[in-house]
Amino acid sequence: MSLTLTPRNRSIGSFQMGSWSWGYLLEMAGPVIPGFVTSRGRWYLLEGDPRWKDLDYPAVLGDSGRHFYIRADEAKHLARVARNWADIQTHLDESHRAKVFGQDEYARPFPEKVRDDWAVLFHDFSDWAERSRGFSK
């Protein structure tokens, strides 16, 4: 499933990102969005941010089908995380790739090389997000 991210700064155009890569970025970024917490692939919502209309499922996730606005400061934070992660990924060799799908976390190499195409995607996203002045998904 693909997301279309629409910037507040319309002159830079929208950005396409897959829902898996979007979820991965949100998990890496940590608690950037108030009331949205991830831990080991589980998503938690806490009350307090008026953007949460339904506490049963986070609208920020790619597969929610719901509109969600990312503020400018949150976009910049996501851009920094994406750029740092992409820089690390581009310097890892194949010895950092997990050998077996579903391998226990303690047995995986650290840092783990994830997907070669995501490093380019995350670099492009970071450039776009820094200029977006905030965006909606």
Side-chain angles (χ1 to χ4, degrees):
M1 180 174 173
S2 180
L3 299 173
T4 300
L5 306 177
T6 306
R8 192 164 166 229
N9 177 9
R10 302 282 183 174
S11 67
I12 66 171
S14 61
F15 190 84
Q16 295 289 321
M17 180 180 256
S19 59
W20 280 25
S21 53
W22 175 246
Y24 190 86
L25 175 59
L26 290 175
E27 188 162 357
M28 279 191 313
V32 174
I33 300 164
F36 180 67
V37 183
T38 66
S39 176
R40 298 181 187 211
R42 300 211 46 179
W43 311 93
Y44 301 95
L45 278 177
L46 308 171
E47 291 184 42
D49 193 318
R51 293 177 289 178
W52 302 124
K53 307 292 186 227
D54 178 7
L55 292 177
D56 291 332
Y57 194 82
V60 70
L61 290 180
D63 55 356
S64 71
R66 299 181 181 142
H67 172 80
F68 190 84
Y69 180 71
I70 306 294
R71 297 177 182 130
D73 61 328
E74 296 164 347
K76 286 183 180 180
H77 180 87
L78 289 170
R80 281 192 301 275
V81 170
R83 178 171 284 112
N84 290 343
W85 182 86
D87 286 346
I88 290 168
Q89 288 291 305
T90 57
H91 291 93
L92 295 177
D93 60 26
E94 287 302 310
S95 68
H96 285 270
R97 199 175 300 277
K99 305 292 187 256
V100 179
F101 182 73
Q103 186 177 21
D104 289 331
E105 194 171 332
Y106 71 87
R108 291 175 174 256
F110 184 83
E112 184 177 357
K113 188 167 182 70
V114 180
R115 286 182 50 162
D116 297 327
D117 58 333
W118 278 12
V120 174
L121 174 71
F122 282 28
H123 265 294
D124 292 346
F125 169 79
S126 62
D127 292 339
W128 178 87
E130 284 177 341
R131 297 178 295 134
S132 71
R133 297 194 309 241
F135 58 90
S136 61
K137 77 114 207 115

